[in-house]
Amino acid sequence: MRKSTLFFAFLGFLAIALVFAATDAAYRRGRSAEHLRSSSVLVRDLALTDLCLFSEARYTRHPSQADLHTPFQDHPFALEHFPSGSLLTPPAVLKERYAPVD
């Protein structure tokens, strides 16, 4: 058997798997509509806030809710205590407003 035949058979298998994945996603989306609706009612009734991105540091929970000085709560040259602080970049408005500290 030629390698090209194996390759095209593999591509055919992937195409069939893609069709099955799309069909499953459409099926699950229809079934989860009621759960999504009940979750949105719960969020509205409990007056929940924005999505919590990280749970460890208060300045990484949601960038729009953080004040400017919470990363430096110990002192300005304090090391980052939490790994999520290195994953989340400062908001663009802060980059535009303040000069870089290098």
Side-chain angles (χ1 to χ4, degrees), residues 57 59 70-86:
Y59 56 90
T70 50
F72 310 110
Q73 56 196 354
D74 295 330
H75 56 85
F77 296 108
L79 295 175
E80 181 64 53
H81 297 297
F82 305 106
S84 60
S86 62

Side-chain angles (χ1 to χ4, degrees), residues 13-36:
F13 173 74
L14 289 179
I16 292 170
L18 180 66
V19 169
F20 280 128
T23 305
D24 182 56
Y27 174 72
R28 288 177 187 255
R29 182 176 185 186
R31 288 187 54 182
S32 65
E34 180 60 35
H35 176 69
L36 186 61

Side-chain angles (χ1 to χ4, degrees), residues 56-82 85 88 91 94:
E56 51 194 19
R58 64 178 178 229
Y59 56 90
T60 60
R61 289 188 184 133
H62 197 282
S64 68
Q65 305 297 320
D67 62 68
L68 300 178
H69 301 290
T70 50
F72 310 110
Q73 56 196 354
D74 295 330
H75 56 85
F77 296 108
L79 295 175
E80 181 64 53
H81 297 297
F82 305 106
L88 186 68
L94 293 180

